[in-house]
Amino acid sequence: PPIGGGAPLVCIGAMTPPFTNGTAGGVWSTSNNTIATINSVSGVATGVANGTVNVIYTVTDGNGCTGTATKVLNVGIPASAGN
């Protein structure tokens, strides 16, 4: 199933709501941990640096075959409120 939940955009230093997938037992990752990290179990992502990554959910079945689903996550620079 496709990835649900989460958010399309997160600011540097902020966290998304959990990303979700209807297939249990998978592991969450991102395509570039220098831009965003994600908790492999909870699916909560944290913005690290400005850019775009894929959030990836990987499931391995009993035969060792894997399937993945991806969703784009943009990481932005927080707005400045001034000094």
Side-chain angles (χ1 to χ4, degrees):
I3 294 174
L9 173 69
V10 65
C11 291
I12 295 169
M15 292 186 290
T16 66
F19 285 90
T20 60
N21 187 278
T23 302
V27 177
W28 295 99
S29 61
T30 69
S31 57
N32 188 336
N33 285 333
T34 64
I35 295 175
T37 60
I38 193 166
N39 181 295
S40 63
V41 176
S42 72
V44 173
T46 302
V48 176
N50 190 45
T52 301
V53 296
N54 286 318
V55 170
I56 305 162
Y57 187 69
T58 304
V59 177
T60 304
D61 70 13
N63 297 317
C65 298
T66 60
T68 60
T70 61
K71 186 173 185 177
V72 172
L73 174 64
N74 294 294
V75 180
I77 298 169
S80 173
N83 293 342

